[in-house]
Amino acid sequence: MEQYDARGQDFLLNAAVAFGDACTRPKLTPTCPFYEETDTGPTCDEQCRGIAESLGDTSRKVATHQLGGLVLTGREIPRSAAAGAEEFDATRLYIAGRDLPVAEQTTTALLLALRHHSINIVLNETHTDQSSVPLAIWAELDRRDFPTPRCAAAGLSLQLARAAVSRATFSRLTALGLIGSGIGNELLESDPWAEFLASIHGKIAPLLSDTHRPRSGNAGGHRLVLPTWLADLDSDKGLSTAIASDDLLRVAFSPDFVFRLSQWFGRLFTDDHRRVFRASVPDQHLFLGLDPSQYSDDPGNWLWTRLTQTSLDGWSESSLVHEWDWQARDETRGFPRRILGERVIQPAIISNAVLQRLSSSSAETPSQGFDPNHFVDRAIELLQCGDPQGAAKIFTGVTELRPTDAVVWNNLGFCQIAFDPAAALHSFGKSAMFSRDGTQIRIVNQVLALHLIGRDDDSLVLASEIPGPPQWPSSAWLWNHTAPRKAGAPDLVQDVQFYLENLVTHIQRRLCDRGIHEAEMGEVEN
């Protein structure tokens, strides 16, 4: 091999490290001479790492960055290929890859899909044809040498705990009128999680005052751990006050109960993840013996966060510090370099984020990482082009990322009216559940969906119950319903109240049953 001077050696080292760090799953780098195609997909033995080490990777020069009063020092190692790296966007990676075979999806898409399916299993909302999907995702992550048990436990344990509590308390919250059940979300007569809560809450209640002192600003002097969807409904603190006054709900949303559940799910992921996907309910004796503090694994949470959350604003302080350690000191925390290479963050960006967080008294800002309104314009374009299924497909993916967003569920239901009004009712029911106040536009759409599936009497009853606001929305996208039992085409309606009045008249006169189209209907009504 030809010998090079110091600059040549440095160039080769930079090239080797950059080439290796830019090589990620699932496609790796087909132009690499060590690339191999096998029955289970592309692979290699990471020979680039050995080459980099032979060129001096272990003795890289030290770089020092001074930001304000903070001095950051570490090994300088390039993290992106010469051509540059694509901007990381977890949401778009998921939306773009969710329908691909698991072997062709990015690790980010697989992790977000794992979250979606795991939460749905806990909520008992998994379709039978998707019951094997989480195991297939897990197997693919294992094939990539991804530390799935540790990462899933750190990233999902609290999310699944909150989902389990939501399921266990849904009937109680609905019965007390604290949330709306919505058409299409009928209550179950019995539920194993509700039964578990009912059987154990009397044993948890005596522990609350001893393990968790009341904090100022909490309802009734009680500390509550509300899931995001309930916290969003609690702007006036009326919901949390009502929860704190109910013995069962106060226990269910207590840190003692929720954090024990997070410990249980964390152990399932690390010990036997198949039990998570079987929606197992804890044994009472085991549950009471668990630590009443939140399951925690900082390095595991760092890896989960850096691959699933785009914005650094929502990262924990420990995750930001771990990221800086990786960028500046080459500290992998034992995780495969190829996995870490799936996201590139410029050192200056992470250094500034660390500095701002350490110098600020504020904690991380919870963030979903994207604005679902970004997808509305594209969905409207598809609807106007006669592709409601394509529009619904967009919002289906968004609901998987934001399963408690009332607006997203309403948008999905609007698209589904055109081809599956029964499914639309379910989506509108979800929207109602995550919104305390009745939304006139949603209810108008529900009236139409009920009519389209032949439930005219129910649609008229619902229409009569629409609250009369001081002022109706000035305009809205609604279906023009131009053919019997067909939604029609989307139309920007300027007078929503007038639209509803015409729809009610149309239903009362049973015009669809008589095969009268809109033009004929207009003649009759005029």
Side-chain angles (χ1 to χ4, degrees):
M1 180 177 180
E2 184 178 350
Q3 297 298 314
Y4 295 93
D5 59 16
R7 290 182 301 173
Q9 288 286 109
D10 198 46
F11 174 81
L12 291 174
L13 173 54
N14 287 346
V17 174
F19 194 88
D21 285 340
C23 181
T24 58
R25 296 285 189 179
K27 297 181 179 180
L28 301 183
T29 306
T31 57
C32 175
F34 301 111
Y35 175 91
E36 294 181 19
E37 187 69 57
T38 68
D39 293 339
T40 58
T43 186
C44 71
D45 293 325
E46 299 195 23
Q47 291 92 336
C48 56
R49 303 297 177 191
I51 293 174
E53 290 181 6
S54 70
L55 292 171
D57 186 24
T58 57
S59 58
R60 302 292 292 146
K61 65 181 181 180
V62 173
T64 301
H65 302 277
Q66 185 166 352
L67 299 171
L70 184 67
V71 177
L72 305 179
T73 304
R75 299 285 177 184
E76 185 179 80
I77 294 182
R79 299 252 173 252
S80 59
E86 292 185 4
E87 183 178 355
F88 180 87
D89 188 325
T91 300
R92 297 192 183 280
L93 287 172
Y94 178 72
I95 297 295
R98 58 188 291 270
D99 293 327
L100 296 174
V102 293
E104 298 178 19
Q105 294 185 32
T106 64
T107 302
T108 289
L110 291 176
L111 293 177
L112 291 173
L114 183 67
R115 182 183 72 178
H116 161 63
H117 288 287
S118 299
I119 290 176
N120 268 9
I121 287 171
V122 173
L123 292 175
N124 195 32
E125 295 184 355
T126 299
H127 298 292
T128 54
D129 60 344
Q130 295 184 324
S131 59
S132 62
V133 173
L135 287 175
I137 292 173
W138 196 283
E140 174 60 22
L141 290 169
D142 280 349
R143 189 182 71 82
R144 301 182 187 188
D145 297 323
F146 189 85
T148 315
R150 183 178 182 183
C151 191
L156 292 177
S157 57
L158 183 58
Q159 295 187 55
L160 296 191
R162 285 173 163 161
V165 173
S166 297
R167 175 177 172 180
T169 59
F170 180 74
S171 294
R172 184 69 173 172
L173 290 167
T174 304
L176 294 176
L178 299 179
I179 62 171
S181 62
I183 296 175
N185 284 325
E186 292 76 12
L187 299 178
L188 298 175
E189 294 183 0
S190 62
D191 181 271
W193 277 102
E195 293 171 355
F196 172 74
L197 174 61
S199 66
I200 205 170
H201 89 279
K203 300 174 183 178
I204 296 288
L207 306 175
L208 299 185
S209 59
D210 294 330
T211 56
H212 297 285
R213 296 179 180 178
R215 296 182 176 182
S216 61
N218 288 281
H222 295 280
R223 184 186 174 196
L224 301 175
V225 182
L226 298 179
T228 303
W229 69 277
L230 279 178
D232 289 344
L233 302 179
D234 193 38
S235 57
D236 61 356
K237 303 303 178 184
L239 179 62
S240 56
T241 299
I243 289 174
S245 65
D246 183 89
D247 291 340
L248 183 71
L249 296 179
R250 184 172 63 251
V251 169
F253 293 109
S254 69
D256 203 299
F257 187 75
V258 176
F259 291 164
R260 271 191 170 93
L261 276 178
S262 77
Q263 290 282 350
W264 186 71
F265 280 112
R267 294 190 180 199
L268 287 189
F269 275 122
T270 56
D271 296 341
D272 184 6
H273 64 274
R274 290 177 177 80
R275 290 190 62 192
V276 176
F277 307 139
R278 291 199 295 266
S280 302
V281 174
D283 173 80
Q284 284 195 29
H285 299 290
L286 173 63
F287 184 76
L288 291 172
L290 294 174
D291 185 355
S293 61
Q294 182 181 339
Y295 182 91
S296 178
D297 178 351
D298 285 347
N301 186 60
W302 164 55
L303 183 58
W304 174 271
T305 300
R306 78 185 305 272
L307 292 178
T308 62
Q309 190 160 330
T310 305
S311 173
L312 299 182
D313 293 340
W315 285 33
S316 67
E317 182 179 302
S318 64
S319 292
L320 289 173
V321 172
H322 285 319
E323 182 67 26
W324 183 83
D325 277 343
W326 157 239
Q327 297 289 350
R329 297 175 177 168
D330 199 33
E331 175 54 66
T332 66
R333 304 292 172 184
F335 297 132
R337 291 176 178 272
R338 177 171 287 153
I339 296 297
L340 295 175
E342 295 207 22
R343 180 175 187 178
V344 176
I345 303 177
Q346 296 302 322
I349 293 176
I350 195 65
S351 296
N352 277 297
V354 171
L355 174 63
Q356 291 175 11
R357 184 64 58 80
L358 293 179
S359 62
S360 172
S361 58
S362 61
E364 66 269 17
T365 303
S367 170
Q368 296 288 350
F370 73 104
D371 183 353
N373 290 324
H374 293 164
F375 298 91
V376 172
D377 290 343
R378 175 56 181 159
I380 291 176
E381 289 178 9
L382 291 172
L383 289 171
Q384 292 177 321
C385 292
D387 186 12
Q389 288 94 339
K393 188 176 180 180
I394 292 176
F395 287 116
T396 297
V398 179
T399 61
E400 292 170 2
L401 294 173
R402 298 191 56 151
T404 59
D405 191 314
V407 174
V408 174
W409 280 109
N410 182 74
N411 291 344
L412 173 59
F414 178 77
C415 299
Q416 292 171 323
I417 285 179
F419 61 93
D420 192 348
L425 285 174
H426 174 78
S427 297
F428 289 135
K430 285 283 192 179
S431 179
M433 186 174 71
F434 301 128
S435 175
R436 292 191 74 181
D437 301 322
T439 301
Q440 284 72 32
I441 300 300
R442 185 194 69 235
I443 300 177
V444 169
N445 282 321
Q446 286 177 293
V447 170
L448 176 60
L450 286 168
H451 168 60
L452 294 179
I453 61 174
R455 292 172 59 180
D456 287 350
D457 292 339
D458 290 335
S459 68
L460 292 173
V461 169
L462 182 61
S464 68
E465 295 175 350
I466 296 180
Q471 182 177 359
W472 282 79
S474 58
S475 64
W477 283 96
L478 296 167
W479 294 97
N480 61 19
H481 186 36
T482 56
R485 304 300 176 187
K486 301 292 184 181
D491 189 22
L492 185 59
V493 175
Q494 300 298 330
D495 190 333
V496 177
Q497 185 175 11
F498 182 70
Y499 172 93
L500 176 63
E501 291 171 354
N502 277 345
L503 178 60
V504 168
T505 300
H506 169 79
I507 297 172
Q508 288 173 335
R509 295 184 179 183
R510 311 290 178 179
L511 297 183
C512 274
D513 293 337
R514 292 156 53 189
I516 299 177
H517 290 212
E518 184 182 50
E520 299 168 327
M521 182 179 73
E523 294 175 1
V524 172
E525 292 180 355
N526 290 333

